[in-house]
Amino acid sequence: MASPATTHSAVRRPLDALRFEIAGPPALTRVVGDHLGRLGARSHDTGAGEIVLDGGGFGPVTARTAWGARGSGIEDEATAQAATGVMAVHGRRHGTPRGLAVDCLATATGVLTVQGLLAGLIGQARGAGPAPRLSTTADRAGLLTVSQYLAAAGADEPEAVEPAPGGPPFTSADGVHFELETLDPGDWAAFWRALEAPADAIRAGWRPFQFRYATACAPFPVVLHEVTRLHTWQRIRQAAGPSGAEVCRLRTLAERAGEGDGADPWALDVLRPGYTATAPGPGPGGGADDDRARLPLAGLTVLEAGRRIQAPLAAHLLGLLGARVVRIEPPGGDPLRGMPPACDGVSARWLALNRGKEAVEIDIKSAGDRRRLRELAAEADVFLHNWAPGKAAELALDAEHLAEANPALVYAYTGGWADRIDDAPMGTDFMVQARTGAGEAVHPAGEPPVPSLMTLLDLLGGLHGTEAVLAGLLLRERTGHGVRVESSLLGAADTLLAPALRRAARGEDPRRPAGFRHPLRTSDGWIAPSDACATAAAAYDVRGMCTEDALDRLRHDGLTATAVTTDLTGLHHDPRLSGPIGRDAHGAPAVPDPWSFA
């Protein structure tokens, strides 16, 4: 089969000359249509009744997307968040389950759907034959969202810090809400000493603050909140400067809407010519690896130098699509392999993002090891990293340097800000939430603007990273050239917050109404009505009823609701879910792949 790359020399975007049709729940397809259009495809309508992407020399790639399995009771964002444990994890800082007031699972499902469509086209371009039909569901997106928390819940030992209510943001004496970020205990201590916080509170506060990325809460001493209320915002900024810690005022959605640049959530740039696209046959059939050999990225190699969540998740998803993933780790291995809690001696959270990957230890500070990394990149299809800004160029490992060794390379960087924000703070999940108004968006009106302590943007940033790499691989196949791609937490935030930012730009209240997605307490748990039924359901007093009776009562009156998962270990046997949760070789929980290919 001839690659479509040989017939489209004028291609500038990966989906140039392709057309798409969108059918499905509007909340789930919003991102699909937006991202396909940004990648170059044109909308058309043939009445196909599903998502179809075709044209440009490609056969049709089709997808269906849904909230969950038919009859599961998962029928919208609220019920999907409730069933998959998202409400439980987001609510940890409050001490009770809370729904996110943004459509995080619909957004994730949309990006995953685009990933599947791009992967199907890549498979065609590489000669694997007609693209398979794919399906995505919001409940599987939800399981992916909580996968690290689920892994920890199923570990052989308890959390390093017991989850309990509490956490940032802090408030100054003059009423400024702000986030604090540092990855270094010395910087943490220096900041608090400058504000004259008690030494015992400084010591006791570091560990829960450090582990808030893992536990979605930070029960540090309340006195630290009291300390910041004694100082003005100007004084707090002065304390942060020399300490090495960073602070960021919580911006409003209106402020973010006013500075929005309309940029795509990723950037793709063709590198130097020199690669001639070929069309290898599909992977070998037969045997235990037969199913994996049929996956669209089978035979491709991804070299990943990722830390924490964003880049490792992006590479993990590329591996689920069939790629061989090789991690670049420092001498002695990734220190996060030992992050508690563990399964069979390996960090359960680390396994959630890195199981199935190969690893090679390289000291990037060593000239000899950097040469070794370039040799590995010369044989890879993708090099993916999330080093600090400027680090790759400093080490002569930027796209231009690696393109000398491999003009065919897709060079991918997943960062924080994509150089789109002046005077940007550290590009971490909670700082980007603070800077973009996410604190307002994730809670309804009448509540303080508080960024979620779920790693929302790290997760969506990882999904955007995978999407960008797939777009880069397709562009490589169509143009014959290597590609540099960049995605960011800021781009992920803009995708997630787009509906709220549009409301803010129109001068409307960008936040959802008071009480939005607050589940109802029962005698033995919680239930979450669907968004459409929430107002009517709030009139029922179900506090004296068990969960099953409360659900029966609402359903009898024609209202949709589902039980809120509060114990993540219960997800293993939850009949509402569209895919089973398994165990990996270390006994750690493993969520189902987010796509189904048929």
Side-chain angles (χ1 to χ4, degrees):
M1 169 180 175
S3 167
T6 61
T7 60
H8 292 285
S9 59
V11 169
R12 293 292 178 268
R13 294 180 294 177
L15 299 183
D16 279 352
L18 275 77
R19 303 161 302 172
F20 69 90
E21 178 174 3
I22 297 290
L28 295 176
T29 58
R30 172 185 67 84
V31 171
V32 178
D34 177 63
H35 284 201
L36 292 181
R38 290 175 182 266
L39 290 169
R42 294 177 294 105
S43 175
H44 73 141
D45 184 5
T46 63
E50 57 190 350
I51 302 168
V52 180
L53 180 62
D54 62 5
F58 291 93
V61 183
T62 60
R64 289 185 179 274
T65 186
W67 290 107
R70 184 173 298 177
S72 65
I74 302 174
E75 298 184 9
D76 71 345
E77 179 75 29
T79 50
Q81 288 188 27
T84 58
V86 169
M87 283 189 177
V89 176
H90 172 60
R92 284 179 179 177
R93 64 166 304 125
H94 302 286
T96 59
R98 294 282 186 92
L100 287 154
V102 289
D103 292 348
C104 67
L105 300 190
T107 302
T109 305
V111 177
L112 288 163
T113 303
V114 174
Q115 291 175 11
L117 293 167
L118 291 171
L121 294 176
I122 292 167
Q124 279 193 52
R126 299 179 62 232
R133 299 170 65 90
L134 71 111
S135 63
T136 57
T137 54
D139 70 323
R140 292 200 185 191
L143 292 178
L144 182 65
T145 299
V146 302
S147 59
Q148 292 185 80
Y149 309 101
L150 171 63
D156 301 334
E157 58 188 20
E159 289 275 15
V161 176
E162 185 68 25
F170 300 93
T171 306
S172 69
D174 41 354
V176 175
H177 301 296
F178 68 94
E179 274 286 344
L180 168 69
E181 183 65 281
T182 176
L183 307 178
D184 183 275
D187 295 349
W188 163 269
F191 171 77
W192 288 108
R193 282 198 299 266
L195 297 180
E196 302 179 337
D200 57 345
I202 297 174
R203 287 191 298 270
W206 167 248
R207 193 165 177 83
F209 179 84
Q210 175 192 25
F211 276 89
R212 72 197 191 283
Y213 280 92
T215 61
C217 57
F220 48 68
V222 175
V223 68
L224 296 181
H225 284 288
E226 296 171 351
V227 165
T228 64
R229 294 191 184 101
L230 298 175
H231 299 278
T232 65
W233 174 233
Q234 181 180 0
R235 175 71 187 94
I236 288 166
R237 293 180 66 188
Q238 289 171 345
S243 75
E246 295 192 28
V247 291
C248 180
R249 174 176 67 84
L250 267 61
R251 302 293 183 102
T252 66
L253 290 164
E255 286 178 291
R256 176 61 190 150
E259 68 180 5
D261 54 13
D264 292 338
W266 9 244
L268 295 85
D269 298 299
V270 172
L271 295 173
R272 68 185 65 192
Y275 167 64
T276 302
T278 58
D289 295 330
D290 187 34
D291 289 342
R292 184 168 180 82
R294 292 194 183 100
L295 292 172
L297 302 192
L300 298 182
T301 296
V302 175
L303 196 62
E304 175 222 322
R307 302 176 302 165
R308 301 175 75 89
I309 298 173
Q310 188 182 8
L313 174 59
H316 173 65
L317 293 172
L318 293 169
L320 294 181
L321 288 167
R324 171 187 175 229
V325 180
V326 181
R327 275 182 57 78
I328 302 299
E329 299 188 5
D334 186 348
L336 292 182
R337 288 176 182 264
M339 181 181 185
C343 280
D344 192 26
V346 183
S347 169
R349 287 192 179 85
W350 189 90
L351 287 168
L353 299 179
N354 295 293
R355 67 170 56 91
K357 299 177 182 178
E358 303 171 32
V360 58
E361 294 183 12
I362 287 182
D363 181 1
I364 59 174
K365 298 178 182 177
S366 161
D369 273 13
R370 289 198 298 273
R371 284 195 299 272
R372 186 172 164 223
L373 192 153
R374 292 188 192 97
E375 291 169 359
L376 291 171
E379 302 298 322
D381 297 279
V382 176
F383 178 70
L384 168 68
H385 75 90
N386 64 343
W387 293 329
K391 188 70 172 179
E394 175 187 326
L395 297 171
L397 295 174
D398 211 346
E400 291 73 17
H401 303 110
L402 295 190
E404 294 176 0
N406 183 357
L409 191 68
V410 172
Y411 184 101
Y413 177 54
T414 60
W417 301 103
D419 296 325
R420 290 171 49 200
I421 296 289
D422 294 333
D423 300 321
M426 191 184 306
T428 60
D429 187 310
F430 306 138
M431 294 297 261
V432 179
Q433 284 198 55
R435 181 62 178 76
T436 58
E440 276 196 338
V442 299
H443 290 87
E447 297 182 19
V450 177
S452 177
L453 282 177
M454 282 188 68
T455 51
L456 282 181
L457 297 187
D458 270 337
L459 177 105
L460 284 172
L463 295 184
H464 279 67
T466 305
E467 184 182 35
V469 169
L470 291 167
L473 285 168
L474 182 60
L475 188 58
R476 180 183 81 162
E477 294 298 328
R478 300 194 71 195
T479 64
H481 301 155
V483 181
R484 184 187 192 278
V485 305
E486 181 173 359
S487 59
S488 65
L489 299 181
L490 177 60
D494 285 346
T495 300
L496 176 66
L497 303 177
L501 293 173
R502 283 196 293 270
R503 291 193 293 270
R506 294 193 297 263
E508 302 170 4
D509 185 347
R511 305 180 77 183
R512 309 308 297 180
F516 186 68
R517 290 188 185 148
H518 279 209
L520 306 177
R521 183 75 159 140
T522 66
S523 64
D524 60 348
W526 302 81
I527 61 172
S530 66
D531 287 337
C533 297
T535 300
Y540 291 72
D541 185 355
V542 296
R543 288 172 296 178
M545 305 172 66
C546 70
T547 296
E548 273 306 311
D549 287 347
L551 289 173
D552 287 343
R553 172 75 182 279
L554 266 62
R555 290 166 181 164
H556 179 269
D557 292 346
L559 302 179
T560 301
T562 197
V564 177
T565 296
T566 54
D567 179 0
L568 297 187
T569 60
L571 292 171
H572 286 271
H573 308 291
D574 194 321
R576 294 174 294 180
L577 303 178
S578 63
I581 296 171
R583 297 273 182 179
D584 66 13
H586 295 273
V591 301
D593 290 359
W595 326 267
S596 294
F597 292 100

